[in-house]
Amino acid sequence: MNIIVLLKQVPSTETMIQIAGDGRSVKTDDVSWIISPYDEFAVEEALRIKEKQKGGIVTIVSVGGAKAAEAIRTALAMGADKGILVNDPATAGCDGLGIARILSTVVQSLPFDLIIAGQRAVDDENFLVGAAVAEFLKIPFMSLVIQEEIADGKITCHRTIEGGTAVVSSPLPALFTTQRGLNEPRYTSLPGVMKAKKKPLDIKTLTDLGLDPAIAATPLMQVISLKFPEKRKAGKIIDGATLADKAAMLAKVLHEEAKVI
Amino acid sequence: MNTEHESMEVDVLFVGGGPAGLAGAIRLMQKAAETGMNLEVAVIEKGAEIGAHSLSGAIMNPIALKELIPDFASQGCPIETTVRDDEFYFLTADRALRVPMTPSYLENQGYAVISLSRFCRWLAEIAEGMGVSILPGFAGKEVLYDPQTSAVIGVRTGDKGVGKDGTPRGNYEPGVDILAKVTVFGEGARGSLTKELTRKLHIQGLMPEVFETGIREVIELPEDHYFTTSFGNDLHFLGYPLGLDIPGGGFIYEMKDNQIALGYLTALSYSDPSLDPYEAFIRFKRHPFVSRIIAGGKVIEQGARTVSVGGWHTMPQLAVDGGLLVGAGAAIHHAPALKGIHTGMKSGMLAAETIHTALELGDFSQKTLGRYPEMLKESWLGRELYEGRNFSAALAKKMPARFIHLAAQYLNAGKGIRDMLPLEADCKTLKPAKGGIPDTLDSKCYDGVLVVDKLTGVYLSKTLHREDQPSHIVVGDPEICITRCYDMYRSPCTRFCPGNVYEIHVDEVTSRRELKLNPSNCLHCKTCDIKDPFGNVTWTCPEGGDGPGYRRG
Ligand SMILES: Cc1cc2nc3c(=O)[nH]c(=O)nc-3n(C[C@H](O)[C@H](O)[C@H](O)COP(=O)(O)OP(=O)(O)OC[C@H]3O[C@@H](n4cnc5c(N)ncnc54)[C@H](O)[C@@H]3O)c2cc1C
């Protein structure tokens, strides 16, 4: 079985995010990078399917800068077989749709039975790439999956929906996206890290893929600005000698300052 | 748990990706390339990435770097600023007196201000480019010995995915035995394996190692700040708040992008159990002279780490069969100059040269590896360390004896009035608490931006430990904590730990005291392992990859 995992390298969730001078992007010089956690579930699930099916090839596909190769290496260290990184400066300004188009072009050049992606990348939070890749490839799409099973050329998935789960099924090839609860990703083992160094990782540009950078990477959507949430004002502690005093004070403050009663 | 541990062979293993280990790995690859040797060299590092656990000042004397990578500037070495001039102050409670003459050891003009995290990341990239396997996220948990000869044969890495109760979880990943012809320990101050090794093989130094705990921040200042117009950009402070009887002091170094490194060191030889090094740090920051420099700033990173300052006489035996000790973990530190980076690097490089010879001879016994301490003695490093040999012991004296010892050492190349001035282990210096513990700083002094409390500091260190794992801080007998230690010293761990790992809770009903540990706050500074007066606390490595996440440490 050929499984493809779409993966994005993102700033670690502990990173203190600072908005860059242009007001539209995030400063990256002091950021530590990780695999987007939902994509890590995707890698883990792909490996479990491969193990269960007793065979197959897991290929990691990513679009990103030179550093993104580290994220792919981590996935290879977990046990994936090979990686493809589209590293092209033109992709820097790409929107989600553009990334999806590039990813689907890569995927089209490979044999595949199943594609797994994170439900969203935790940096841009677009919730878009998985669905768009499925659309470009004209294959079934299932989102927010917490359990799957493959049998007789079909995949059955449990999806989370508000208040419960839905069980859906589709023929392969198909694409599904991950939801928290699907699995607990494995650690990279030391022998795994050593082996990963020797696994194939192809670096490609847009031209290598037969895409015209001027068209493929021109965004339809642009980020205009990034903002932090408004700082919450400090709370007020109600003082008073007795409980009754405090209650009286609270009523007074609610009436006079907050003007809610 | 009875587990199979896979094993993996390398030629040389470096434990710890600090400046000492990384410089050693690079030197070894250089020597191997010169002689056409094909080597498998690995560096394991407990941090999630190289530099994540590196915390320093830091002003680097570039002498070792120039020897290792002469074209370091064109190789992109991350230097923050170059020291223009030094300023040396004596602080009283409300004033700063500029000391007209900087002691020659602290003349840093022309030296580099670096962030050790960034510097180590850069060294690691160079090492990786030369073929070294850089393995962050893997902690050395146990030293492996040859059962017959006690020769060091490698290190076992820690298990991953073990639950709090010690049972394996679904994603359990057992540690691996990394077997090496030579294992180099470069764990930094109070290395957990180094401690075990030196005790087991009885190779401790002539005198007990002594330490200082440093708390250090990176502060972002407004565009227009002190250093835009100052002469000096390397400031050192003595005096307030520790006074003259406890060694320690503060520093402020200019970094790039309107950032500064500000830190305060407290010698762990202090005797008053009520002392809290974190509070000393805050008091230093709030000194009028210092607050003026940092006004309008914002803390963007904080961290803590101990420094091994005892120097020469406290150095353990540096070579054993199959193993070498380098850097701060072996007390290799130039105490008078407050510098351990260049000394660590040089020790790693000399170790590497010795290992190269050993590989050529095919002999890894102490006889061959023993060339390393010999070479060290004869190098500039040996001379530097020897000159500083009595410095910490003199500092540990009270005034005015301290001043007399220091002055004599300054004048006669380190010998002073008495050579081999004795040192006392830091765990032995506490005096019983007199009554209660005096009030701590008013919590109102923490504004959450420029002056932050311990827990905010932990947050700003980006420290993370998976909660569901056995505590990596092992308290031998918790009963001692709530009885003898409380009675005598009022639980000094609750103060000397800068991460608030230790708390004493009193049960409301039974009024029984209880020790509560928050190991997930641990900054890996190792103060507890050093200062605990009952030797009841043992610091071990948590799951590999856990701990601080310094970017500018
Ligand atoms: C606040 C402060 C200010 C300082 N200022 C200066 C200065 O201005 N100039 C200067 O030259 N020096 C300064 N020093 C001292 C200097 O930082 C140290 O001497 C130096 O970092 C020692 O290098 P090292 O490689 O021996 O150890 P470290 O830098 O401590 O590195 C050891 C590495 O090993 C890792 N490690 C430890 N145990 C294990 C294990 N069991 N398994 C895997 N990995 C492990 C650690 O995570 C760490 O990354 C300062 C220190 C402090 C704390």
Side-chain angles (χ1 to χ4, degrees), chain B residues 328-467:
Chain B
I332 294 173
H333 180 87
H334 188 34
L338 318 169
K339 289 185 187 66
I341 298 174
H342 69 291
T343 55
M345 290 176 72
K346 180 68 176 177
S347 70
M349 288 155 66
L350 293 170
E353 284 162 27
T354 304
I355 294 167
H356 181 255
T357 310
L359 286 161
E360 279 182 328
L361 297 174
D363 175 43
F364 308 101
S365 68
Q366 200 232 322
K367 195 172 131 261
T368 305
L369 295 181
R371 291 185 190 194
Y372 155 58
E374 292 302 318
M375 281 162 73
L376 187 148
K377 239 173 247 167
E378 270 144 40
S379 68
W380 57 256
L381 174 57
R383 284 192 293 280
E384 207 176 278
L385 295 175
Y386 190 68
E387 223 176 87
R389 65 195 177 281
N390 292 314
F391 186 77
S392 286
L395 281 191
K397 300 263 175 239
K398 302 245 187 279
M399 291 301 261
R402 184 205 310 186
F403 186 72
I404 297 166
H405 280 291
L406 282 180
Q409 289 173 20
Y410 197 76
L411 295 175
N412 67 4
K415 182 164 181 288
I417 301 169
R418 176 174 168 203
D419 225 342
M420 290 271 289
L421 204 52
L423 278 171
E424 203 174 359
D426 295 327
C427 59
K428 300 213 171 117
T429 54
L430 282 186
K431 300 231 164 65
K434 293 192 211 84
I437 291 298
D439 278 352
T440 53
L441 277 169
D442 185 347
S443 66
K444 288 204 187 81
C445 77
Y446 299 114
D447 61 19
V449 178
L450 180 59
V451 185
V452 303
D453 61 10
K454 282 188 183 179
L455 283 181
T456 313
V458 171
Y459 168 75
L460 290 170
S461 69
K462 302 184 201 72
T463 294
L464 211 66
H465 291 83
R466 196 171 57 75
E467 290 287 340

Side-chain angles (χ1 to χ4, degrees), chain A residues 48 184-187, chain B residues 160-162 168-174 466:
Chain A
R48 290 190 187 187
E184 186 168 19
R186 67 195 64 193
Y187 293 94
Chain B
K160 295 185 180 184
V162 179
R169 292 156 40 107
N171 58 356
Y172 174 64
E173 185 66 51
R466 196 171 57 75

Side-chain angles (χ1 to χ4, degrees), chain B residues 55 213-216 264 268 270 275-279 281-282 302-306 446 452-459 461 463 492-502 518 521-529 531 550:
Chain B
L55 188 100
T213 292
I215 294 148
R216 179 250 195 205
Y264 198 82
L268 294 180
Y270 68 81
L275 195 141
D276 180 335
Y278 191 87
E279 291 209 354
F281 165 73
I282 296 294
Q302 193 189 84
R305 183 78 174 96
T306 45
Y446 299 114
V452 303
D453 61 10
K454 282 188 183 179
L455 283 181
T456 313
V458 171
Y459 168 75
S461 69
T463 294
C493 56
T494 58
R495 290 174 295 278
F496 61 54
C497 170
N500 243 348
V501 168
Y502 299 85
N518 311 307
N521 285 359
C522 175
L523 299 167
H524 297 205
C525 75
K526 322 235 177 129
T527 304
C528 53
D529 191 284
K531 188 63 181 167
Y550 304 136

Side-chain angles (χ1 to χ4, degrees), chain B residues 15-21 44-47 51 53-61 116 120 138-141 186-189 191-193 212 214-216 251 253 263-265 304-307 326-329 332-333 337-344 524 526 539 541:
Chain B
V15 181
I44 56 168
E45 164 57 48
K46 65 181 162 69
H53 292 183
S54 298
L55 188 100
S56 194
I59 288 176
M60 178 179 65
N61 177 344
L116 189 61
C120 286
F138 295 97
K141 192 81 176 181
E187 297 177 282
S192 43
L193 299 185
E212 292 179 5
I215 294 148
R216 179 250 195 205
F251 62 82
Y253 306 145
Y264 198 82
L265 292 137
R305 183 78 174 96
T306 45
V307 198
V326 299
I332 294 173
H333 180 87
L338 318 169
K339 289 185 187 66
I341 298 174
H342 69 291
T343 55
H524 297 205
K526 322 235 177 129
W539 192 97
C541 289

Side-chain angles (χ1 to χ4, degrees), chain B residues 15-16 44-46 53 138-143 145 155-156 158 185-200 209 211 305-306 325 328-330 472-474 524-526 528-530 537-542:
Chain B
V15 181
I44 56 168
E45 164 57 48
K46 65 181 162 69
H53 292 183
F138 295 97
K141 192 81 176 181
E142 229 177 282
V143 182
Y145 304 93
V155 154
R156 174 170 295 170
F185 296 87
E187 297 177 282
R190 195 62 161 202
S192 43
L193 299 185
T194 308
K195 177 179 157 187
E196 178 203 312
L197 177 83
T198 50
R199 291 188 182 180
K200 182 180 156 91
E209 269 193 82
F211 299 86
R305 183 78 174 96
T306 45
L325 306 182
H472 70 279
I473 290 169
V474 183
H524 297 205
C525 75
K526 322 235 177 129
C528 53
D529 191 284
I530 297 164
V537 175
T538 304
W539 192 97
T540 67
C541 289

